[in-house]
Structure formats: C-alpha cells, structure tokens
Amino acid sequence: MSLLARARSTSLWLLGSWRRLVAALAMLVALGLAGVFLFAWLGVYNVAASTGHFQLFDSFLRFGMENSVRARAPKDTLPRQEDDNLVRLGAGHFHAGCSYCHGAPGQPISPVAARMLPPPPDLSEKVGLWRDGELFWIVKHGLKYAGMPGWPVLERDDEVWALVAFLRRLPELDERGYRALAFGEVRIDPPSGREIATGESGEDAIGACARCHGAVEGPKSDLVPVLHGQPKAMLAGALRAFAAGTRESGIMQTAASDLSERQIEQLASFYAGLSSPPRHNPLPADGAAVDRGAALARHGVPSLGIPACLDCHGASALPSYPRLAGQPVRYLLGQLRAWRAGLNDRSPSGQVMAPIARRLSAEQAADVAAYFAAQPAASVSAGGLGR
Amino acid sequence: MRCCRALLIVTATTSLAGCSEMQSALAPGGEEAGRIAFLTWILFAGAGAILLVVAGSLVMAMRGPERLRQALGGERAIRLGGIVFPVVTLAILLGCGVWLMRESLALGRPAALRIEVTGERWWWRISYPGSDGSLLADANELRIPVGREIDLVLHTADVIHSFWVPNLGGKLDMIPGRTNTLRIKADRPGIYRGQCAEYCGGAHALMALEIHAVAPDEFDAWLISTQAPRLGEGIARGQGLFQAAGCGACHGIRGTPAAGTIGPDLSRVGGRRFLAAATIPNSTENLVRFISRGQSVKPGNLMPEFRIFSDEELDAVAAYLSSLK
C-alpha cells in the first residue's frame, strides 16, 4: 500500500468515529505540550541576547507589538500642541529616565543598553511612526519582553503627557536645542576639591534637580514648583516621601530614588538658601478668580469644612509646610488635581492635606491656585519655628 | 441544676449592670425626667397587669370551666377586650402623657438661660450667651446651673441627630433647617451623660456628651471666667506649634489668634472629663493619640492625622491643650 493510500485510510478510520477523532486530537495536544516542555528543559533554545532573533521571528514580534499597541492606545491627542511647559518638563525627565537607553541629541545610546535585545531605538527616528495616544500608551505601560519599563506611577497621566510632548519635539532638536531644553542655562558652582575627592559632591544631585527646578533662575516650566527659599524641612520631607514612594510622581520618584539621606539634607539646604528667582510665569489674568481665591485662602469655607489655606501655607507656618505664594498656577492646579484624585495621601504631610484638598470643588481649586500664583514670592527661608 | 444556677447568676448580673444611675431614664435628675420616669412606671405597671389578665384568660380559655371558656370565645369578649378596652386604656394613657409632658413643650414663660447646641458629625457644638451679648463657644461638655430652667436650642449642621440626656429629660431630634427647643432643669448637682439618639453616620456611637449640673454661683463664676483667656504656664512651645501647624484654622481658643470654627472650640479643652465627644478620657496621652491617630479613635472624623509632629512636639501640643482649663 502506498504511503498516500495508507494516510488516506488512517484518516478515514479516525474520522469514522467522534471518540477516535477527539482522542487523536487530545494526543496531538499532549505531544505538543511535551515537545514544548522538552524544548525548554533540554536548553535547546539559545537565550543569548548577543545572537539576536531570526529576521522572520523579529518581524513577527514587531508585527504583534505594533498591533497590540494600536488596539489598546487611547484616541487622545496632546492636550495642547506646542506647549513649552509640557515639553520642558518632559525633557528634564527624558534626560533622567530615558536617555541612557534611547540616547539623546549629542549623546549616543549607551553601549550597554545598545546590546539589549531588541536594542532600544533612537527615538527621533521612531516617534513619527506613532500617533500621540500610541506614544502615550507605550510610555505609560512599557513593552513586555522589550525591556521597556512602564511609568513608575500609573496614576499620573499628566506627567506621561509631558514626556509625549517632548517626544514630539525630539526629531527637530540638535544638541544645543536639546541641552537648552533639558538642562536650561543653569551652571552650578564647582564643588570644592575635598568634596570631589571624597565623592561627597552634591553637584550631580543638584544638577539633576536644577534641570527642572532651576538654581540661579527659577524653573523653566510652569508645571514645576519654585523650590527657592522653601523651608528646608519641607523640601527634605518631600524628597523622602518621593524616595519612599509615598507621594505619587513618576518624575520625582525617579529623581529622588537613589538620593542618600546626606544628599537629601544637602539639596534641601541648598534650595532653602536660594533667594526667589525673578518671576517668568504669567500672572493669572482673571482678577475675579484671584479675589475669590483670596477670600478662600484667608477664611476658608467653614460650612464645607475647608480651613483657611494661609493658616498652614503662610509665612509663619511650620517649616514642614510649603509656602505657596508665587508658585505657577498650573503647578498648583496640577497638585490640587492630584490630591482630589486621591493621590499623595500617604506621606505625613500628605495625610494632613489630602482630606482638606478633597473638600475643594474644581472651581475653588482654580480660584485658590490663581490667588497664590498672583502673590509675590516670600523671602528666603520663611519658616517661623526652628525644628 | 448547676446550669440553671449559672444562668440565673448571668441574668441577674446583667440586669443589675443596667441599674447604674449613669444615663438612665429611671434615675431622674430633674422635674421633666421625673415626670417621664413616673409615666414609665405607670406604663410598666399597667402593662404588667394587662399581661397577667391576658395570660390568665389564655389559661382559662384552654383549661377553665365550660361556661368561662364559652364566654371567652364569644364575640362579646372580643368586642369588650379587643376593642373597648384598648381604646379606653390608650385614650387615658395619651391624655395622661400629654398632661404630664405639657411642661417640656409649653414654653410660655421664658427660661433663665438659653444655650445653643448644634449636632455635628460627630460632636456637639455648644454656645453660651456671654454677659456682653457675645456667644461663647464650647463643645461636648455642657455646664448648667442647678435649679434654673434652661432652654436648649437644638440645631444640626448636617444630618438628623437627636439630643438625649435620659436623666434630665426626653429626647428631641435635631433636624436640618429646624430649631427645636428643649427645656431642662436639674434638681440636684451631678454629671449626667447623654448620647446622640438618632443614627447619624459611621461614628454615631461615638457621639456622646456630659452635662455638668453645678451650683448657680459656681456656674455664674465659670461663665464669666470662660470669657477671659485662660492660658497656662510654660506652654509657649506647644502654643507656637499649635498656631504654626494651622490647628487654629479649624479650632478656636479665646484669647489667642486661633479662631477656627470648623472643629470643636478648645478654649477649655483641658478642663473636660472626656475627649472626642465623651469617647475617651481626657489625658495628655489621649490628646496625643487623637492628634496623631485620630482616625483610629473616631473613624471618618474631619480632622486629618497630624503625623508630621515628632513625639516631643506632640507632647508639647498636648501639654498646651491640657493647660486650657
């Protein structure tokens, strides 16, 4: 009997009964599973990143990844196109969190990261292939099997959009343009020889902060708070809360996670000792909102359980509370929005502010942000009581 | 047998435990409460008598002589015992109740003193009339003079509460948008405990208060001294922390910049027997506990937990508050 004829008769025999057919399929599945197990157990597969994937397999993985992202990404576009405040905040974080693997204008991809599989792409060539929502989804959630991490804090979509805004700007940037965005124009005074020799220099740490918060000048984005002259205890407390993950911010957790207690003290002292930078953010235009905010800040709304803001955020309050006068309106609004969304409520000072912020309506939050933004920044180290 | 004796002991001790005079309607401390207690005893006695008659009839209806069983089973018995008797008894009781209770509602003659009590979740805001017409804020511990008639003007700031101090009178609801007035008079000095008697949310069970009935002279002196700032000694650090931490945005302390009205007034908090609306005894440790972990004492209360304070700072603030007597 020829081979063909034998296969034909066997398949007829199998199809002749449901039982035989099901048993044959079950056996096939079992054999398949056993094969997969053997494949892994015997170490047949070479997991070396150095050998790369077969071209076909690589294309298949990419095909699957692209379709998965497209299927899941939101349809949203950037909230405001060409918003420099978003771009600058995103640039500062890109330099801290992304540039090591993805490189940046004037800074090649790290040779270590370049040998990852798949190798992290140069994003200036890639971002054009994705819609805003798709970039947002990738930045927020990361990519399985590719080594691309998700955003440290999944609740802070506002921060993710800042990075997307920067990525849109990235292809146009040359080295100078990139450094201007990511570092600002700030130069730090060189540390003493002793500090460099003992490795105790605060320069790196301050440099990392100054990228967004400025040092001689103020922050270069309205989404970033002015730290100049804030009480030292408040600054140190905030850094500890970010480092411990009890205050939600992907950007600040990244920046604060590897600070030593000594560096935290140094940084807090440094910013507490700076005098207020010249204001560059625009004053709130809505005078009526400022007036409503002033009433709220001075008297609160007792019937709603809202205490007067100035009792804790005025010049003579505890040094563990922030001074809000002169902060950018968009930063204040963003923080109030985070409180009201149920974030930032686990650190010691967060436990005080969170329940109060949740009693504010959206309109009250906007009014009070306008009021504080319109006030002249307080003088250096306003803290009333020594700790 | 042993089992029965154990049961007897348990029942006896539990029922005796209810015989404390604290927060008991059966231990009246004033006329109004006395009338209510009198009415209660009438009800108990009457209900007991009726129970005996009903139980007796039941036994007779099953085991009694033929004639009696027929009489009890007839329509006449039902008309008399089931309609006429209840109508007459209840009508008499209603008349008796209205007559006895007329004093608590008939506010024809003015009271000696009007004190405003506002129910909040979950504490009592108290406001005494000052001698100069101003209002003196206090909380959770009501002080009244013995032998004077007092009108408690009851409001609520949020949901329905009910004001009930059983030793001094009946309970009266605090209803949003309404002002109810309860007249009380204490005949003998003492401490009378009361409780919110209408479910008002999560910590309802932790909303109690105490009424301290004191001699009229003592009360007058207390009221006058309450108008003036009463600051203790050696509490500057605690006072400074209290102000700098923003406590004054919610709590008032007369004679200091603290003028908040959101939470209980603390002008005399150190002199109260209890904290957190008669929930925990007043002590520095419990003050520290409420300031730093208040949500575990009274879940859902409006005050954030102030864990920003170090232990030393907590002690300083608590010492300051304890000094306010």
Side-chain angles (χ1 to χ4, degrees):
Chain A
M1 203 191 284
S2 75
L3 197 63
L4 195 67
R6 190 173 294 185
R8 193 183 145 91
S9 73
T10 312
S11 39
L12 279 176
W13 177 76
L14 276 176
L15 288 172
S17 136
W18 279 113
R19 265 193 206 173
R20 283 201 289 267
L21 184 66
V22 169
L25 285 175
M27 264 179 73
L28 265 180
V29 170
L31 274 176
L33 286 175
V36 168
F37 176 74
L38 276 179
F39 181 73
W41 187 48
L42 296 174
V44 177
Y45 183 70
N46 183 1
V47 294
S50 58
T51 56
H53 291 304
F54 289 118
Q55 183 60 47
L56 185 67
F57 189 56
D58 190 74
S59 309
F60 179 75
L61 288 177
R62 186 165 300 282
F63 173 73
M65 182 272 279
E66 286 170 1
N67 286 310
S68 177
V69 172
R70 292 204 169 106
R72 286 172 170 76
K75 300 280 173 274
D76 308 0
T77 51
L78 266 174
R80 305 187 201 187
Q81 295 290 340
E82 298 300 313
D83 181 341
D84 271 357
N85 289 301
L86 273 179
V87 174
R88 286 171 191 279
L89 177 61
H93 181 70
F94 181 86
H95 190 77
C98 317
S99 66
Y100 179 82
C101 289
H102 288 289
Q107 175 189 332
I109 294 173
S110 144
V112 176
R115 299 301 301 203
M116 288 169 71
L117 184 68
D122 177 351
L123 294 180
S124 52
E125 296 164 10
K126 292 281 184 185
V127 289
L129 305 177
W130 300 102
R131 290 186 294 107
D132 287 348
E134 291 160 358
L135 281 177
F136 170 86
W137 193 89
I138 296 172
V139 172
K140 179 173 177 183
H141 295 288
L143 296 172
K144 250 178 212 168
Y145 310 127
M148 168 76 187
W151 199 259
V153 175
L154 285 180
E155 296 88 357
R156 290 297 301 271
D157 285 359
D158 53 326
E159 294 183 334
V160 178
W161 281 116
L163 196 73
V164 174
F166 167 75
L167 290 176
R168 279 281 170 257
R169 183 73 62 85
L170 181 65
E172 313 159 9
L173 293 174
D174 57 6
E175 185 179 352
R176 255 192 81 202
Y178 173 72
R179 293 192 75 82
L181 271 181
F183 292 86
E185 311 298 338
V186 181
R187 288 287 168 271
I188 316 293
D189 294 333
S192 73
R194 193 189 67 82
E195 282 173 335
I196 297 172
T198 55
E200 289 168 352
S201 161
E203 188 193 19
D204 285 353
I206 293 170
C209 305
R211 280 207 302 276
C212 293
H213 293 285
V216 178
E217 295 168 22
K220 53 203 169 57
S221 164
D222 282 352
L223 300 166
V224 174
V226 183
L227 304 184
H228 303 53
Q230 290 288 340
K232 182 184 165 192
M234 186 286 282
L235 293 168
L239 282 172
R240 284 188 200 107
F242 285 127
T246 52
R247 184 166 166 187
E248 282 87 357
S249 164
I251 293 175
M252 279 310 299
Q253 286 187 9
T254 307
S257 61
D258 55 354
L259 292 177
S260 68
E261 185 57 28
R262 187 189 152 79
Q263 283 174 313
I264 286 178
E265 287 287 319
Q266 270 184 332
L267 284 167
S269 301
F270 175 74
Y271 275 104
L274 294 179
S275 53
S276 305
R279 176 198 292 276
H280 75 88
N281 48 300
L283 281 173
D286 185 353
V290 173
D291 290 345
R292 286 193 304 269
L296 191 67
R298 293 200 187 104
H299 310 298
V301 186
S303 60
L304 298 175
I306 302 171
C309 313
L310 285 169
D311 277 45
C312 291
H313 295 294
S316 61
L318 277 191
S320 35
Y321 293 152
R323 310 296 181 256
L324 300 186
Q327 295 292 348
V329 69
R330 286 182 66 185
Y331 165 71
L332 291 168
L333 262 181
Q335 286 298 298
L336 282 170
R337 205 174 291 131
W339 297 111
R340 291 172 51 240
L343 302 178
N344 293 355
D345 62 354
R346 287 173 295 148
S347 67
S349 52
Q351 285 173 328
V352 176
M353 187 64 206
I356 297 168
R358 284 178 206 148
R359 292 172 205 158
L360 294 173
S361 69
E363 294 73 32
Q364 287 170 323
D367 291 347
V368 85
Y371 165 73
F372 277 109
Q375 302 312 302
S379 57
V380 182
S381 56
L385 284 169
R387 298 269 284 189
Chain B
M1 233 1 242
R2 283 178 75 123
C3 172
C4 283
R5 204 186 305 163
L7 194 68
L8 191 70
I9 291 171
V10 169
T11 339
T13 38
T14 4
S15 48
L16 279 178
C19 290
S20 154
E21 293 219 335
M22 192 54 111
Q23 204 175 328
S24 165
L26 300 179
E31 283 171 26
E32 165 72 9
R35 283 191 293 270
I36 293 175
F38 177 59
L39 196 58
T40 309
W41 287 120
I42 291 181
L43 278 176
F44 273 147
I50 291 169
L51 183 69
L52 277 179
V53 170
V54 170
S57 312
L58 195 64
V59 172
M60 285 301 125
M62 290 188 294
R63 302 272 168 86
E66 178 67 29
R67 266 188 63 207
L68 195 55
R69 276 161 52 195
Q70 263 187 350
L72 282 172
E75 265 192 36
R76 197 178 153 78
I78 293 176
R79 283 210 189 99
L80 279 177
I83 301 174
V84 176
F85 178 73
V87 167
V88 171
T89 318
L90 291 178
I92 292 174
L93 271 179
L94 180 67
C96 188
V98 168
W99 183 75
L100 278 174
M101 304 291 292
R102 71 195 187 284
E103 290 286 315
S104 62
L105 295 174
L107 300 170
R109 58 180 188 286
L113 185 65
R114 280 168 73 85
I115 303 174
E116 301 212 4
V117 182
T118 307
E120 309 246 356
R121 284 190 295 175
W122 293 275
W123 58 283
W124 311 88
R125 185 191 295 277
I126 297 169
S127 173
Y128 298 94
S131 53
D132 54 350
S134 64
L135 291 174
L136 297 171
D138 205 343
N140 298 334
E141 196 175 285
L142 189 58
R143 200 165 281 252
I144 57 168
V146 167
R148 286 192 202 157
E149 289 198 317
I150 290 149
D151 274 351
L152 297 180
V153 185
L154 307 178
H155 314 273
T156 171
D158 34 60
V159 298
I160 300 179
H161 301 276
S162 188
F163 183 93
W164 191 28
V165 182
N167 300 79
L168 290 183
K171 67 175 176 160
L172 195 53
D173 280 1
M174 302 163 132
I175 296 169
R178 254 189 87 91
T179 301
N180 284 338
T181 308
L182 179 71
R183 175 156 296 183
I184 58 168
K185 188 174 116 187
D187 285 338
R188 52 191 168 90
I191 296 175
Y192 304 101
R193 192 172 189 277
Q195 186 129 29
C196 178
E198 180 69 52
Y199 181 73
C200 57
H204 158 71
L206 304 177
M207 181 172 171
L209 86 163
E210 279 193 343
I211 293 191
H212 289 212
V214 297
D217 300 349
E218 195 184 328
F219 175 80
D220 292 339
W222 179 86
L223 196 59
I224 289 167
S225 72
T226 234
Q227 305 183 19
R230 300 174 59 82
L231 301 179
E233 297 290 314
I235 37 70
R237 169 141 173 84
Q239 189 182 2
L241 282 166
F242 185 90
Q243 201 53 40
C247 309
C250 294
H251 297 285
I253 296 178
R254 277 186 291 284
T256 76
T261 57
I262 296 173
D265 184 273
L266 300 179
S267 299
R268 305 197 76 155
V269 67
R272 289 178 207 148
R273 292 212 317 149
F274 286 93
L275 297 174
T279 299
I280 46 176
N282 191 354
S283 66
T284 8
E285 298 81 64
N286 278 339
L287 276 167
V288 165
R289 193 169 144 220
F290 197 90
I291 296 167
S292 59
R293 302 186 302 281
Q295 294 299 327
S296 64
V297 177
K298 188 173 276 195
N301 85 76
L302 280 185
M303 175 159 151
E305 296 188 333
F306 280 70
R307 300 189 189 189
I308 49 162
F309 287 132
S310 67
D311 288 349
E312 180 268 317
E313 289 169 330
L314 279 171
D315 288 341
V317 174
Y320 167 57
L321 294 176
S322 291
S323 77
L324 301 168
K325 291 187 173 154

